[in-house]
Amino acid sequence: MKKLYFLFSLFLIAGEDFISEFEYGQMLYKNPRGISCAACHAENGEGKEIVSYQDDENQTIIIRGVDIRSHSLVEIEAIVARNHPVMPKYYLTYEEVEAIYFYLQEVNKESK
Ligand code: HEC
């Protein structure tokens, strides 16, 4: 009986670890290193307005997180690792960027 309990708890632990590649990518897209891509590029990477303000000459300036649904894996990998004026620089592994890319592809399958 003891043995059975042991096996059962192993199963539970293994079960908790089991998330799909899609869920992993989704989790990363929503919260990579504490700053969500979704905060600036919207739920599915379609892009959105981050902030707008009036400058000194009363012009409206809009800062936008661009649409990132059609960027390739290679492009995204290079972009996240670079310095930008607004977007943070991320130190993500290749597997993490790949998972984010996979998530964006999966979630936007229908709109293609
Ligand atoms: C604080 C807001 C912010 C966050 C968070 C953010 N981005 Fe961005 N991103 C931007 C803005 C603004 C641009 C466009 C201008 C620029 O390059 O800074 C951009 C540009 C991009 C581009 C395209 C650049 C081009 O020139 O076509 C990609 C791809 C991208 N982001 C991916 C990501 C991914 C993936 C994440 C999460 C790991 C992320 N971004 C997080 C604001 C953000």
Side-chain angles (χ1 to χ4, degrees), residues 44-46 67-70 103-112:
N44 301 327
E46 66 272 31
D67 186 336
I68 59 168
R69 289 173 297 182
S70 50
Y103 165 73
L104 289 173
Q105 294 298 303
E106 283 296 301
V107 89
N108 290 303
K109 251 182 189 162
E110 263 101 74
S111 58
K112 275 189 178 161

Side-chain angles (χ1 to χ4, degrees), residues 32 35-37 40-41 64 66 68 71 79-80 84 87-88 90:
I35 314 169
S36 166
C37 315
C40 298
H41 294 286
R64 230 170 242 297
V66 293
I68 59 168
H71 287 77
I79 288 160
V80 295
H84 305 267
M87 181 173 152
Y90 289 89

Side-chain angles (χ1 to χ4, degrees), residues 92-109:
L92 299 167
T93 66
Y94 180 76
E95 284 74 21
E96 288 171 326
V97 179
E98 205 176 29
I100 290 173
Y101 175 76
F102 178 76
Y103 165 73
L104 289 173
Q105 294 298 303
E106 283 296 301
V107 89
N108 290 303
K109 251 182 189 162

Side-chain angles (χ1 to χ4, degrees), residues 43-92:
E43 190 73 16
N44 301 327
E46 66 272 31
K48 66 174 207 178
E49 183 181 317
I50 302 168
V51 66
S52 70
Y53 61 94
Q54 308 284 327
D55 71 2
D56 296 344
E57 277 118 45
N58 248 345
Q59 302 267 12
T60 304
I61 307 289
I62 298 173
I63 297 180
R64 230 170 242 297
V66 293
D67 186 336
I68 59 168
R69 289 173 297 182
S70 50
H71 287 77
S72 70
L73 174 58
V74 175
E75 285 169 330
I76 295 177
E77 198 194 359
I79 288 160
V80 295
R82 264 206 313 260
N83 286 310
H84 305 267
V86 178
M87 181 173 152
K89 178 180 181 176
Y90 289 89
Y91 297 90
L92 299 167

Side-chain angles (χ1 to χ4, degrees), residues 22-38:
F22 177 81
E23 286 167 329
Y24 180 58
Q26 180 179 46
M27 188 186 80
L28 277 171
Y29 179 73
K30 297 213 165 138
N31 199 18
R33 305 290 185 267
I35 314 169
S36 166
C37 315

